[in-house]
Amino acid sequence: MKSTEEFKNYIGGVWQASASKKTFVDLNPANTDDVIGHFPNSVKKDVALAAAAAKEAYKSWRLVPAPKRGDMLRKAGLLLEARKDEIAREMTREMGKVFAETKGDVQEGIDTAYYAATEGRRLFGHTVPSELHDKFAMSIRQPIGVAGCITPWNFPMAIPTWKIFPALLCGNSVVFKPATETPKAAHLFVEVLIEAGVPEGVINLVHGGDEAGKETVANENVDLISFTGSSETGSMVAKSAAETYKRVSLEMGGKNAVVVMDDADLKLALDGVLWGAFGTTGQRCTATSRLLLHEKIHDKFLEMLIKRTEKLKLGYGNDAGVDVGPLVSEAQLKRVQGYIEIGKRDGAKLLTGGKQATTGELRKGFFFEPTIFAGAEWDMRISQEEIFGPVLSVIKFKTFEEATRILNGVKYGLSSSLYTKDVRYAFAAMRDFEAGITYINAPTIGAEAHLPFGGTKQTGNGHREGGWQVYEFFSETKTCYIDFSGSLQRAQIDNY
Ligand code: NAD
């Protein structure tokens, strides 16, 4: 199918083409003959228009009672629920992961909507006793202004909703700049927000690549930036945002490990490793990309793992029975191929996979065989760098302490996992694994919408998405004092 449909930006309540008149094409990565549509390749001027519209709309949106804003988000959740299968099918078509996973992606958005709706009736501040007579003291939560939300393609619904629902709930207006790989999902999401009643100018959608992204960060009318993407881009975003003193939340790359101890339930660990490493074709920020095996179970576990890996079925994610979809793009395919060469050259042992899959229909897309390297050293490039594909590096260890050192010996700190029956190791892992998330007896993937999500080291800059914590990022704390004594009372002066 070759759609010639032209999609638009949504700015100040009007669907409109880019000032550049240029577009980019959106393809199905499982079959590049399938053209989904053409989207605006936006330039500085488009973002400036969107930011100005958002600034104007903010003036009245900030005054809408938070529970009423929450009601709109509840409606958005209901609409996502009603359109879940339809939206998920389009997402699979656009970015490749299997239908069950894109349905999960939409479900995460639904859960986030319902959480946000109830947060409208919380948004707690504090009341605290004043140190002076007849004086009342409290803190309240206020919106900040225009939120620039820049998102990647691997969770085209969950990640935008993680940012945009809390931003709106807190009373900010939004400029949304999605990834060029998943513009259709962004379009469908904005349709839902409009139908849910989010007013004109409060949500603005600007498609495009790095020019649009850069201007979202630089524009003077944008007050804060919530970014998810690679650590390299995130670092540029932070530098640029500093020039206009913006608040910035960065959620970036990962190099996550599963540790399997010799006392672990190996069948359970096997299911977890397969899901963590090859779910979403390894293109999750929390994907399992290193597997640390205790020397006593190393050979046995590896044998079990290879058998199961070779049974995984590659194919179009909207077809029944498919386990693993394609990589998202040709660029991503080349990147993964490059790491296979690096792994071989550095001396790791390629045990299975390692090639583009080209049999039959697969030749039309960016399919790659699930790949396992054994004999990897902790400091090889395939054990250190984010590959973002279905490639697992297996490292052998002797003690829990050694496994902890290896797990921590990377620049990222997103997710981590330990399989053991020993409660002492479980608690030591929760304390000592340098990561924003630690799972015990579960894979590195599986975040829940109502808990904080994010990472340490070069994965993040201290903020979190999800749960209660993200509402702090999208709101400002204001301290208010009401003196009803009728006379001048001086704090910070020695009254005692
Ligand atoms: P990317 O960094 O290439 O792009 C992310 C977004 O930034 C896109 O919308 C892109 O257009 C925009 N962008 C590009 N250059 C920009 C610039 N100079 N200024 C502003 N915006 C710019 O990342 P990607 O390939 O879309 O996504 C994959 C990466 O995202 C991986 O590194 C993955 O680990 C990470 N990721 C992290 C999380 C997390 O929560 N930690 C979640 C998902 C993905």
Side-chain angles (χ1 to χ4, degrees):
M1 206 160 73
K2 267 198 169 30
S3 167
T4 52
E5 193 174 352
E6 261 203 38
F7 292 84
K8 305 252 168 72
N9 288 331
Y10 184 69
I11 297 175
V14 181
W15 290 101
Q16 52 191 280
S18 161
S20 73
K21 304 278 181 252
K22 290 195 184 128
T23 58
F24 64 89
V25 66
D26 185 24
L27 296 176
N28 177 346
N31 175 1
T32 54
D33 292 340
D34 180 17
V35 176
I36 295 161
H38 300 262
F39 288 81
N41 199 355
S42 303
V43 289
K44 237 174 140 173
K45 193 169 167 194
D46 303 308
V47 177
L49 270 179
K55 195 88 191 168
E56 185 57 31
Y58 171 68
K59 290 179 190 161
S60 45
W61 181 243
R62 64 182 276 273
L63 301 175
V64 174
K68 290 259 179 304
R69 297 194 293 253
D71 288 346
M72 281 179 214
L73 301 185
R74 183 178 298 103
K75 179 137 187 241
L78 286 165
L79 290 166
L80 283 175
E81 219 171 310
R83 294 180 65 182
K84 182 172 169 180
D85 282 17
E86 168 220 335
I87 292 176
R89 286 229 180 270
E90 274 301 293
M91 283 163 55
T92 292
R93 183 177 167 215
E94 184 173 56
M95 60 72 68
K97 68 187 175 190
V98 298
F99 183 52
E101 289 189 44
T102 46
K103 277 207 295 187
D105 196 330
V106 180
Q107 185 59 46
E108 184 91 13
I110 296 164
D111 296 339
T112 302
Y114 296 152
Y115 188 101
T118 54
E119 194 60 24
R121 291 183 185 274
R122 278 188 295 264
L123 277 190
F124 293 136
H126 291 94
T127 55
V128 258
S130 165
E131 65 189 39
L132 297 172
H133 285 286
D134 296 336
K135 193 175 172 194
F136 188 85
M138 65 181 170
S139 69
I140 59 171
R141 304 269 292 284
Q142 295 204 302
I144 298 171
V146 177
C149 298
I150 303 176
T151 56
W153 44 265
N154 62 339
F155 279 86
M157 191 57 65
I159 293 177
T161 62
W162 283 358
K163 298 180 187 309
I164 293 171
F165 287 153
L168 293 176
L169 190 279
C170 290
N172 307 287
S173 54
V174 170
V175 174
F176 173 27
K177 209 304 283 169
T180 45
E181 291 84 352
T182 48
K184 181 78 184 279
H187 176 93
L188 295 172
F189 177 43
V190 169
E191 271 184 8
V192 162
L193 290 175
I194 295 167
E195 195 179 340
V198 175
E200 292 178 357
V202 172
I203 176 74
N204 300 276
L205 169 65
V206 185
H207 290 289
D210 50 349
E211 179 172 352
K214 278 182 189 157
E215 179 59 17
T216 306
V217 180
N219 190 281
E220 294 274 358
N221 280 329
V222 175
D223 299 287
L224 69 159
I225 292 290
S226 176
F227 167 86
T228 301
S230 65
S231 298
E232 293 71 27
T233 311
S235 167
M236 289 192 274
V237 166
K239 281 182 206 137
S240 165
E243 286 179 23
T244 41
Y245 302 93
K246 289 182 174 68
R247 178 184 294 210
V248 187
S249 165
L250 303 170
E251 295 295 341
M252 301 173 285
K255 189 70 185 174
N256 317 289
V258 166
V259 176
V260 184
M261 296 299 292
D262 54 339
D263 69 340
D265 176 338
L266 295 190
K267 277 199 191 127
L268 180 71
L270 181 62
D271 286 338
V273 170
L274 278 167
W275 175 226
F278 304 124
T280 322
T281 323
Q283 301 170 112
R284 287 192 186 216
C285 49
T286 51
T288 305
S289 113
R290 296 178 296 156
L291 172 61
L292 277 50
L293 294 179
H294 192 281
E295 60 179 0
K296 284 196 188 146
I297 49 96
H298 177 275
D299 294 356
K300 182 179 173 197
F301 192 85
L302 208 48
E303 196 185 318
M304 290 159 69
L305 179 63
I306 289 168
K307 241 188 232 158
R308 286 277 299 276
T309 301
E310 289 178 347
K311 286 199 184 120
L312 292 172
K313 188 172 176 220
L314 269 68
Y316 181 33
N318 274 329
D319 291 343
V322 168
D323 298 305
V324 182
L327 290 163
V328 76
S329 63
E330 193 172 2
Q332 201 60 25
L333 176 70
K334 292 215 165 101
R335 179 188 167 97
V336 173
Q337 282 167 331
Y339 274 105
I340 301 301
E341 292 316 309
I342 290 169
K344 287 200 263 187
R345 200 185 57 215
D346 289 351
K349 242 209 254 143
L350 181 63
L351 296 186
T352 189
K355 294 192 303 296
Q356 183 179 1
T358 52
T359 44
E361 288 292 292
L362 300 186
R363 74 184 186 289
K364 293 185 174 170
F366 309 120
F367 291 94
F368 201 86
E369 294 171 352
T371 299
I372 298 174
F373 274 114
E377 299 292 336
W378 74 272
D379 56 352
M380 282 180 181
R381 284 185 64 190
I382 55 164
S383 308
Q384 290 286 319
E385 297 174 18
E386 185 179 46
I387 299 173
F388 227 54
V391 181
L392 183 65
S393 306
V394 182
I395 305 170
K396 200 192 278 191
F397 69 87
K398 288 191 174 67
T399 62
F400 176 76
E401 290 69 27
E402 185 190 0
T404 303
R405 267 197 309 278
I406 295 171
L407 184 138
N408 291 343
V410 292
K411 63 184 181 185
Y412 299 108
L414 185 50
S415 186
S416 55
S417 147
L418 174 72
Y419 282 87
T420 185
K421 289 188 190 123
D422 191 328
V423 72
R424 291 171 305 166
Y425 291 136
F427 274 86
M430 288 188 275
R431 185 191 59 198
D432 296 337
F433 284 5
E434 292 171 358
I437 307 164
T438 295
Y439 292 94
I440 305 297
N441 293 327
T444 53
I445 64 183
E448 299 185 26
H450 58 296
L451 277 103
F453 178 91
T456 60
K457 303 202 269 191
Q458 291 184 22
T459 294
N461 65 339
H463 296 289
R464 290 290 181 270
E465 312 220 274
W468 53 94
Q469 224 173 315
V470 68
Y471 293 87
E472 282 168 22
F473 175 74
F474 283 109
S475 62
E476 198 81 75
T477 297
K478 183 171 197 175
T479 306
C480 303
Y481 298 103
I482 305 101
D483 189 323
F484 55 99
S485 69
S487 56
L488 173 65
Q489 300 199 78
R490 288 173 291 190
Q492 271 85 51
I493 297 292
D494 190 3
N495 294 309
Y496 293 96

